[in-house]
Amino acid sequence: MGSRWTFDGHIAGIGTASGLRAVVGIWQDSPFGSFADVMVQQPSGHRLLLAPTPEVAAFISATYNFDDVRVLDVGASLTDQTLTVDAGPLAIRAVTGARTLLGAALRAVPRRLAVHPRWLAAVNPFAALAAPGARTYGTAGSGRAEFYGVTDLHHLASAVVTWEGANAGTLSPIRPAVTFGFSSVPPRPSVARVRTTIIGASNDE
């Protein structure tokens, strides 16, 4: 019998003029309770995970690819139109903008269908056409499969990002794409409402 892990929350993708890129996960409901984590790719390409507990760090680092993992306090919130992140060397203050056309289309799909693994596997070939670099289905390490069910999408209108106390530059496209796993985030900085489901190799969908 395989296992299934479900994470409900939001993912924000942020790029900066300095080349620092960050993917922030804010999870309201997960097997680890409510938590936030940050994946950072530096201009050099170095990939770093910032995770709040050893258990979360172990699970995420077994699912994605990193050059370094740090366990530290990760504070993140998404309220009204403001995204706030405080995670060791990284601080983000961002303002969300209007819902995207893709976000409006995603909201038209019934949520129960939009997050179902079979649906996500079926629409995966079309995901990159709608959002270059994005995929809805792929491998998650250790023989597992991963499914991204996005049900809403807003652009980020502005952001102030600092790394180790220094300003990382203005909000910019996420280029080159991050390389933590099989999927990237949309090139334009945004925040998505998402359910991520990871299924063990022997588990039925």
Side-chain angles (χ1 to χ4, degrees):
M1 177 67 70
S3 299
R4 180 186 292 243
W5 300 265
T6 301
F7 299 78
D8 270 308
H10 293 80
I11 292 177
I14 292 179
T16 67
S18 69
L20 184 79
R21 290 147 285 155
V23 178
V24 181
I26 304 174
W27 306 108
Q28 285 81 33
D29 187 22
S30 86
F32 304 98
S34 176
F35 74 94
D37 68 276
V38 185
M39 304 177 192
V40 177
Q41 191 151 22
Q42 296 173 303
S44 64
H46 187 84
R47 297 164 300 183
L48 171 65
L49 170 64
L50 306 176
T53 68
E55 293 77 16
V56 168
F59 186 88
I60 296 176
S61 61
T63 305
Y64 302 98
N65 302 310
F66 302 99
D67 303 299
D68 190 15
V69 176
R70 300 186 197 174
V71 176
L72 43 75
D73 289 336
V74 180
S77 64
L78 183 62
T79 57
D80 296 326
Q81 293 182 300
T82 303
L83 170 67
T84 301
V85 180
D86 290 292
L90 178 71
I92 299 171
R93 301 292 184 272
V95 176
T96 61
R99 177 174 290 115
T100 68
L101 291 176
L102 177 57
L106 291 167
R107 280 170 56 86
V109 180
R111 178 172 170 78
R112 185 174 179 181
L113 175 63
V115 300
H116 196 285
R118 288 197 182 96
W119 166 264
L120 296 170
V123 301
N124 181 60
F126 309 102
L129 299 177
R135 294 177 61 189
T136 57
Y137 163 69
T139 58
S142 304
R144 299 173 300 171
E146 183 169 12
F147 303 85
Y148 285 127
V150 177
T151 55
D152 200 0
L153 185 68
H154 289 252
H155 289 314
L156 291 179
S158 63
V160 176
V161 182
T162 60
W163 178 258
E164 295 182 337
N167 193 303
T170 57
L171 189 67
S172 300
I174 303 164
R175 296 195 178 101
V178 292
T179 57
F180 305 114
F182 72 86
S183 183
S184 184
V185 290
R188 184 169 175 179
S190 58
V191 58
R193 177 79 172 90
V194 63
R195 172 180 287 184
T196 298
T197 303
I198 298 175
I199 298 177
S202 60
N203 203 331
D204 293 330
E205 295 174 12

